[in-house]
Structures are given as structure tokens and as C-alpha cells.
Amino acid sequence: MSHGTRELTRLGYADLPRLIGLQAGDAKHAPSAESTLDVIWVLYDRVLNVAADRSDDPDRDRFLLSKGHGPMAYYAVLAAKGFLTEDDLRWYGGYESPLGQHPDRNRAPGVEISSGSLGHGLGIAVGLALGLRARRSAARVFCLVGDAELEEGSNHEAIAFAGRMALEGLVCVIVDNRSSSRGWPGGIASRFAIEGWSTATVNGRDHAALERAFTSSGGRRAHAVVAEVEPKW
């Protein structure tokens, strides 16, 4: 059930704290959400070929939030871009709300995958990128994961496979808030580079640096962008 009339809006980055604040509830995973805010905003504001009035365009870019716990920043950006209404945000987590504590693609407009069980998003992104390439579509797939989420074994398989298949339409964005248990020798980017991905490591709060990293890659390869933000704790 959706509350209110969905209209295209013209809100900006400065509106995001207020939109996040409309989402009440106890289980908000605020640090997880806030760590993703700038990455998601830059993608939707400057990079992704997707819009609320053509959200079913088969050649749209896809954004997959694999890091599905604490989606308030994601919902706020979707509202700023017209996919959701402010009334939708006020009902966050409610019994009849389309906005759950994990995103649900069957209920929330603009959401591409249902997520929250960590480790699944990148594998889905690989499959999407393969399908789009088979269709000769220019659409790209951007998948946002957390640094701790990379410890899930399914991600290791997805990273290796995407590297071998040279999936140039795939971008994995890793928000690094230093919450992984063990880390990786040489840093997160090295985990992707050794499998044949192009990589970039940037300040996850610097919008210009994020845009450059998202839109430049190393040729016919999958691309990984490590967005470093302040530590979670």
C-alpha cells in the first residue's frame, strides 16, 4: 500500500538529512545507512541512467543495494528523485508501509532487488550484467556492498567469475567503514585487482572524486570503486 500521491520532485542533497529524519523507528541501523549516503546520492544525481518516470525502461541502469540493512539513506535518495513520496518515508517500517527495514522490490518503487541477507547482491549483479550484455544493451549494473559483507563466500565467487568474464558493464561499489573482521592484504581494491578488475579507491564523501571513479574504468573489465568513509565505531 502506498500513501500519498507520487510526483516527480526536485529536491537536492541538502534535503537528505530531513528526509532521513522522517523515517521513524527503533531498528534504523543509522551508521550503516549514513555511510552510504554520499555514494548513493552521487550515483542517482550524476551517474545512473534511470528516472522515476521511466523506471521500467529495459535499457535503464540498475542499482542494487546489496547492503540492505539500514536502507534509510537509499529511501531518502529515492524520495528526492521522485520514486517515493515524503508520506512513504513517514510510514517507514509500518505494518502497511512499502518501506521495510530491508528493501522489497515488490513493494518499493525504484528498488531493483530485495536485499538484507548479506552476500547475495554481487552475484545477482553479475547475472544481470551477463543478461544485459547478451541483449547488447548499454545499460550498466552498479552494486553497493559493505566491506564486512565481502567476507561472505558468495562474493569471492562473484568477484572471480566477473573478472574472468570481463564484465565491463558491472561496477561494484564497496563502502569501507572499517567494519570487516580481518581485512585484505594490500587493501580491499587488491582483492578485485588480482581477479582482473579495474579499481579506484576514493574518499567516500567527496562527490567529484566519486563521480570520476564511477565513470572511468580500465577498458573491457569489471570495475570496483572503494569508497572510504569514517570508521563505523
Side-chain angles (χ1 to χ4, degrees), residues 146-161:
D147 61 311
E149 182 182 1
L150 284 182
E151 296 177 350
E152 298 284 348
S154 55
N155 282 313
H156 295 283
E157 297 179 26
I159 293 168
F161 184 78

Side-chain angles (χ1 to χ4, degrees), residues 179-228:
S179 58
S180 63
S181 299
R182 299 175 181 83
W184 290 265
I188 292 175
S190 67
R191 174 70 191 90
F192 289 81
I194 199 170
E195 300 291 356
W197 293 54
S198 61
T199 67
T201 300
V202 297
N203 180 342
R205 302 302 187 189
D206 185 329
H207 291 192
L210 285 167
E211 182 182 11
R212 287 193 299 271
F214 293 149
T215 55
S216 62
S217 65
R220 294 180 58 82
R221 295 188 287 171
H223 186 49
V225 176
V226 182
E228 297 180 331

Side-chain angles (χ1 to χ4, degrees), residues 10-94:
R10 296 184 181 276
L11 301 179
Y13 178 76
D15 295 289
L16 297 181
R18 178 181 64 82
L19 295 174
I20 291 175
L22 294 177
Q23 300 169 66
D26 295 329
K28 293 181 71 170
H29 291 285
S32 294
E34 291 165 2
S35 69
T36 67
L37 181 64
D38 295 271
V39 164
I40 298 175
W41 173 255
V42 171
L43 282 170
Y44 274 88
D45 192 55
R46 305 187 184 188
V47 178
L48 293 174
N49 177 28
V50 65
D53 59 351
R54 49 184 180 86
S55 59
D56 59 351
D57 182 347
D59 290 320
R60 71 190 182 281
D61 289 339
R62 272 71 164 179
F63 171 73
L64 311 186
L65 182 67
S66 184
K67 183 179 176 176
H69 56 295
M72 289 82 61
Y74 183 32
Y75 292 155
V77 172
L78 288 176
K81 294 300 180 181
F83 293 89
L84 303 172
T85 69
E86 293 192 18
D87 280 347
D88 289 328
L89 300 182
R90 293 186 180 95
W91 281 82
Y92 166 77

